[in-house]
Amino acid sequence: MTGNIYTSRILILNFGSQYSQLLVRRVRELGVYCELRAWDITEMQIRDFAPHGIILSGGPESTIKSNSPRASEYIFQAGVPVLGICYGMQIITVQLGGQVNKTTNLREFGYAQVAVITNSPLVQNIQDDISSNGQPLLDVWMSHNDNVTSIPHDFITVASTKTCKFAIVANEIKRFYGVQFHPEVTHTKQGQHIIKRFVLDICCCQALWTPTQIKINAIARIREQVGDERVILGLSGGVDSSVTAMLLHYAIGDHLTCVFVDNGLLRFDEANQVLEMFRNHFGLNIVYVPSENRFLSALAGIKDPEVKRKIIGRVFIKIFEEQAQRLKSDIQWLAQGTIYPDIIESAVSTTSKAHMIKSHHNVGGLPKKLKMRLIEPLKELFKDEVRKIGLELGLPYDILYRHPFPGPGLGVRVLGEVKKEYCDLLRRADLIFIEELHKANLYYKVSQAFAVFIPISSVGIMGDSRKYQPVISLRAVETIDFMTAQWAHLPYELLESVSNRIINEIDGISRVVYDISGKPPATIEWE
Ligand code: GLN
């Protein structure tokens, strides 16, 4: 049971398409709650989810192979509309008595034009163009090897392309639809329009999945789950833990205790800002654990980035555990800021039927060890949804939309051995860079920007005296998904003022360089 009180909800079965996540987002953008589940979800689980409609995703398999995935027969008996996309359409076809064949000369990849030949609520009044004989035309995006060659006897053909006779098929009475193209990708111009038709008009879902409603719902659920018991949360000041903290705060007030471990690897003045905001401004109950020395002494002499990351994670868990043990007799729940993309990867499964949960990178294994129950109020939300709820909860925009900051913090931005003096220099350089980006109105135009400390000295001359000091590298990238990235072509004037300020204002740095490497091959962070 998902425990979600939304009455309007769509179930998306994942057959492994590269666009499955996108599909989830498209439905949620319409204001309708949906979940992506493994294709082999059981009838019981479907009944439990109680969807208003079911969408079957695309997938890499071929229905021609005997052991390829099929949907539970129950989806056709549930009495709700079904939309099959590509592979999803192909299994609707074979499961309901039609045929699919491999027709190498008819496969299509990329742009195609679909002509609507029969009126259907799915595409009525939706068109990009009109043909000479008056048929509505749609520009769509295809990616398939197999073709439906005959449709189930109670289906009709709604639209065709020149090479694909069955581009849209339907059983209007049962409200079963199949589309051979991908409406969830933006190359299909009217794609979102078609998804909207299906979700809002055909499934009759209500658009209630709005930030305000999500917030109210989440708070109600936390109260229901936790009752008058107590919760502990590791607060880092990052988006996910901040929003988790605020939801819990509104739900259970002082029954929430936040543990804020200051690892000494945070940005300039960050610990103060986190305390100022959450403790003084919002009145949260925060156990502040200044731990710079413990982290730095554990890191002493360590140069290898992977070893550094592991040490930072381990020391964090140790400290958090100590605090939790200290408070434990009083506390029954451990909260984590796990978000949907953290668990969504496990939603395609050929073996396990469960919606497995990946443990949070920071505190994996902790709940078991502490014998606490786990509460994850954000686990159904995408990052942009989390941010919007954060705004609803009164968190400032610049916290919610700040560039990503790695868990190990400056530990992986000071190259090689991490020392306090290096961190201090880096914090100041980073602050100048970020300040200047804000001044130039470019901060939100780049996806991530930061400074890196290179502990190799270079020669400089200042006021006629020779300097031999370490180097700061600036890095700014533009990216959509952080999987690939380009270095940002920042204006020379900006780079110049950042460089001047760093060299003039920070005693200890005499050279600044700009990183012009793309990802791949260079990662965004240096370590
Ligand atoms: N694998 C199937 C085909 O090639 C479906 C492809 C898809 O869902 N994109 O036809």
Side-chain angles (χ1 to χ4, degrees):
M1 182 73 194
T2 60
N4 191 294
I5 62 168
Y6 279 91
T7 44
S8 284
R9 43 192 20 230
I10 295 286
L11 174 64
I12 301 178
L13 296 194
N14 189 6
F15 289 90
S17 166
Q18 54 183 322
Y19 308 122
S20 293
Q21 259 214 52
L22 203 54
L23 191 54
V24 177
R25 302 186 61 128
R26 293 281 177 261
V27 174
R28 296 231 186 140
E29 274 162 23
L30 296 170
V32 174
Y33 181 73
C34 67
E35 273 184 38
L36 182 68
R37 296 294 194 88
W39 61 268
D40 53 0
I41 184 172
T42 60
E43 174 177 340
M44 274 279 282
Q45 289 167 316
I46 300 172
R47 283 180 188 275
D48 202 26
F49 186 85
H52 270 53
I54 299 172
I55 301 179
L56 313 176
S57 84
E61 306 266 354
S62 173
T63 53
I64 298 159
K65 286 209 187 119
S66 58
N67 57 352
S68 56
R70 295 286 184 274
S72 157
E73 287 298 331
Y74 174 68
I75 66 162
F76 302 112
Q77 289 138 25
V80 299
V82 178
L83 171 65
I85 296 173
C86 205
Y87 186 80
M89 170 191 187
Q90 295 165 358
I91 56 165
I92 292 180
T93 304
V94 296
Q95 289 189 242
L96 297 181
Q99 251 192 344
V100 172
N101 282 323
K102 192 164 238 65
T103 39
T104 20
N105 56 333
L106 294 180
R107 61 190 205 173
E108 293 168 295
F109 300 101
Y111 171 81
Q113 194 172 51
V114 163
V116 177
I117 53 175
T118 318
N119 217 350
S120 163
L122 189 68
V123 287
Q124 195 168 10
N125 299 327
I126 302 178
Q127 64 185 53
D128 290 302
D129 207 348
I130 193 145
S131 73
S132 50
N133 58 357
Q135 287 170 341
L137 299 172
L138 292 164
D139 293 331
V140 304
W141 202 83
M142 296 269 194
S143 174
H144 65 114
N145 289 299
D146 298 353
N147 253 300
V148 172
T149 47
S150 78
I151 52 178
H153 73 276
D154 51 356
F155 273 63
I156 53 159
T157 309
V158 174
S160 314
T161 71
K162 286 206 174 71
T163 44
C164 173
K165 185 170 173 207
F166 305 110
I168 303 178
V169 298
N171 176 329
E172 302 285 5
I173 294 167
K174 292 187 172 150
R175 297 173 302 167
F176 295 162
Y177 298 90
V179 294
Q180 184 59 71
F181 55 89
H182 287 272
E184 70 276 32
V185 304
T186 47
H187 308 284
T188 298
K189 287 196 199 133
Q190 304 296 332
Q192 184 64 344
H193 217 139
I194 296 171
I195 296 174
K196 185 173 174 187
R197 267 297 161 72
F198 179 73
V199 171
L200 298 187
D201 298 343
I202 295 170
C203 301
C204 302
C205 284
Q206 285 177 289
L208 295 173
W209 180 252
T210 61
T212 318
Q213 281 304 318
I214 301 170
K215 179 193 78 177
I216 294 169
N217 181 21
I219 290 174
R221 271 168 72 192
I222 294 170
R223 288 195 183 128
E224 194 184 289
Q225 256 184 301
V226 173
D228 60 1
E229 297 186 325
R230 288 173 187 273
V231 181
I232 188 173
L233 166 74
L235 177 69
S236 69
V239 175
D240 302 340
S241 73
S242 297
V243 174
T244 305
M246 291 303 290
L247 278 175
L248 285 157
H249 176 63
Y250 283 121
I252 59 170
D254 62 7
H255 279 209
L256 167 69
T257 303
C258 297
V259 175
F260 174 37
V261 178
D262 179 356
N263 59 12
L265 305 169
L266 304 174
R267 284 166 284 203
F268 189 83
D269 200 37
E270 194 168 9
N272 275 331
Q273 287 168 12
V274 170
L275 286 176
E276 170 56 35
M277 178 164 68
F278 288 103
R279 186 188 268 169
N280 301 348
H281 181 70
F282 288 117
L284 270 68
N285 198 350
I286 297 190
V287 179
Y288 175 58
V289 198
S291 314
E292 183 181 41
N293 290 340
R294 275 180 76 175
F295 280 88
L296 289 181
S297 50
L299 288 167
I302 309 292
K303 291 198 171 128
D304 182 286
E306 269 317 296
V307 181
K308 291 200 292 185
R309 280 176 184 270
K310 288 215 178 76
I311 290 174
I312 295 166
R314 214 166 50 221
V315 176
F316 173 83
I317 288 179
K318 185 94 195 10
I319 294 172
F320 188 84
E321 224 171 76
E322 288 165 12
Q323 294 299 324
Q325 292 292 0
R326 201 171 58 78
L327 301 160
K328 196 179 153 226
S329 57
D330 215 22
I331 296 183
Q332 299 80 12
W333 294 85
L334 172 69
Q336 286 185 11
T338 316
I339 64 172
Y340 199 43
D342 297 336
I343 60 171
I344 205 168
E345 291 143 37
S346 51
V348 66
S349 133
T350 47
T351 47
S352 83
K353 308 241 187 259
H355 197 67
M356 252 176 46
I357 294 183
K358 196 173 89 179
S359 63
H360 197 263
H361 51 283
N362 270 340
V363 280
L366 264 182
K368 216 186 223 162
K369 191 154 184 189
L370 295 171
K371 298 200 174 65
M372 286 181 182
R373 280 183 288 164
L374 188 60
I375 178 163
E376 298 173 300
L378 308 180
K379 73 163 191 280
E380 286 154 3
L381 305 177
F382 285 107
K383 196 84 176 185
D384 53 329
E385 294 171 328
V386 172
R387 291 193 166 114
K388 286 185 190 143
I389 293 167
L391 289 175
E392 287 278 325
L393 291 162
L395 285 166
Y397 183 91
D398 53 343
I399 296 287
L400 295 167
Y401 287 85
R402 203 151 63 158
H403 296 168
F405 186 66
L410 302 189
V412 291
R413 290 185 180 172
V414 166
L415 304 190
E417 186 178 359
V418 185
K419 293 183 182 165
K420 178 167 166 53
E421 65 202 269
Y422 294 172
C423 292
D424 287 339
L425 289 168
L426 177 57
R427 266 187 273 270
R428 293 174 58 200
D430 189 72
L431 179 68
I432 291 172
F433 187 25
I434 299 302
E435 272 177 5
E436 292 298 318
L437 279 166
H438 275 296
K439 265 195 235 161
N441 251 330
L442 288 170
Y443 180 81
Y444 294 111
K445 296 217 170 82
V446 300
S447 314
Q448 194 171 354
F450 55 92
V452 175
F453 184 89
I454 306 175
I456 303 279
S457 291
S458 88
V459 176
I461 183 152
M462 285 183 194
D464 273 350
S465 72
R466 184 183 189 274
K467 299 272 177 190
Y468 188 53
Q469 291 173 331
V471 180
I472 286 288
S473 173
L474 307 174
R475 176 109 167 110
V477 296
E478 286 169 11
T479 171
I480 306 246
D481 54 9
F482 291 89
M483 303 300 283
T484 62
Q486 295 89 41
W487 59 275
H489 292 205
L490 295 178
Y492 287 165
E493 302 72 39
L494 170 78
L495 291 170
E496 186 172 17
S497 49
V498 174
S499 158
N500 283 342
R501 278 195 60 193
I502 291 176
I503 291 167
N504 291 337
E505 293 173 30
I506 307 176
D507 189 13
I509 302 292
S510 55
R511 189 177 297 267
V512 175
V513 298
Y514 187 51
D515 181 352
I516 53 166
S517 331
K519 171 185 181 176
T523 50
I524 296 175
E525 298 289 344
W526 278 41
E527 286 198 332

